[in-house]
Amino acid sequence: MGEGQAGWRGGGTMRLEAFVDAAFAFAVTILVISAERIPDSVDALVVALKQIPAFAAGFALLALFWYAHVRWSRRYRLDGMVATLLSLLLVFLVLVYVYPVRLLLGTSSAGIGGGWLPMPLSDIAGAAQIAFVFVFYGLAFASMSACMGGLYLLAWRRRDVLSLGPEASAEAMGEVATYAYFCFVGLLSATVASLLPGRAAPWQVAIPGLLYFLLSFTGLLHVLGRRRALKALGGAV
């Protein structure tokens, strides 16, 4: 595959990429080392095992953004001030949000499990606290998505420097559309959660979480963004 295609651009690892990988690895370590002490009884072990769903959800979220950065790094090999700042901002957001997100995902798991799964937060007593959970998560998801969208937008704008062909350039714009849609869904969920009344019904409280099912349309947004970019590039030729 030539320089103008959306393939890997070398197998080496840049220092920035290595730093991002190390930061994500540290974040995963924080997710694992979350208990105050090692279980010393069967009951304590059962409680620890019940935390696996929350850990899995947090791990999946981190893996999603880590692999997105890996793909971006190996496809474009961009450096410079903007790429560095966006990558460092992504690392900052991951390290700031990782443990709170674990607690919030644990709270959601406990709610879905009907009390069978442990509740990590002790002051969840009504709709206001649950709404805060969704606002926090929505802002975290949207901000990390904005970082990745900005990195792919940078690749699109530097497509001539990178010698990207039309297909590779359009693929970058498809990724921009994907992460813009991620931002939209996260902010929509956070906005709906912030507007919930203090005495919201259970079905109303569930709406911010259900909005994330809109992410099932991500593939469609990627295709539309890619096609629009191809049309624009074709029109410019």
Side-chain angles (χ1 to χ4, degrees), residues 1-67:
M1 185 172 289
E3 277 288 310
Q5 302 301 318
W8 297 143
R9 292 175 173 263
T13 301
M14 296 188 298
R15 295 184 66 182
L16 179 61
E17 183 182 352
F19 177 74
V20 173
D21 290 346
F24 272 92
F26 179 71
V28 171
T29 302
I30 296 176
L31 282 178
V32 175
I33 307 176
S34 60
E36 296 181 356
R37 58 190 177 87
I38 298 175
D40 56 0
S41 67
V42 174
D43 290 339
L45 178 60
V46 170
V47 172
L49 291 176
K50 287 182 179 181
Q51 297 176 8
I52 290 178
F55 166 72
F59 180 83
L61 179 64
L62 292 181
L64 171 70
F65 286 98
W66 170 77
Y67 187 62

Side-chain angles (χ1 to χ4, degrees), residues 5 84 116 122 178 199 201 216:
Q5 302 301 318
T84 300
W116 185 78
S122 60
T178 294
R199 296 183 178 180
S216 59

Side-chain angles (χ1 to χ4, degrees), residues 88-149:
L88 292 178
L89 179 58
L90 178 64
V91 168
F92 172 79
L93 292 170
V94 167
L95 295 179
V96 167
Y97 284 124
V98 57
Y99 194 63
V101 165
R102 168 69 189 275
L103 293 175
L104 301 180
L105 291 173
T107 301
S108 300
S109 298
I112 295 173
W116 185 78
L117 296 175
M119 173 69 73
L121 298 175
S122 60
D123 61 346
I124 297 295
Q129 288 82 4
I130 298 177
F132 173 77
V133 167
F134 283 116
V135 170
F136 191 99
Y137 182 84
L139 293 177
F141 186 78
S143 57
M144 290 188 289
S145 298
C147 287
M148 286 309 310

Side-chain angles (χ1 to χ4, degrees), residues 189-211:
S189 175
T191 301
V192 171
S194 67
L195 297 176
L196 288 175
R199 296 183 178 180
W203 67 269
Q204 292 175 311
V205 175
I207 292 176
L210 294 175
L211 287 173

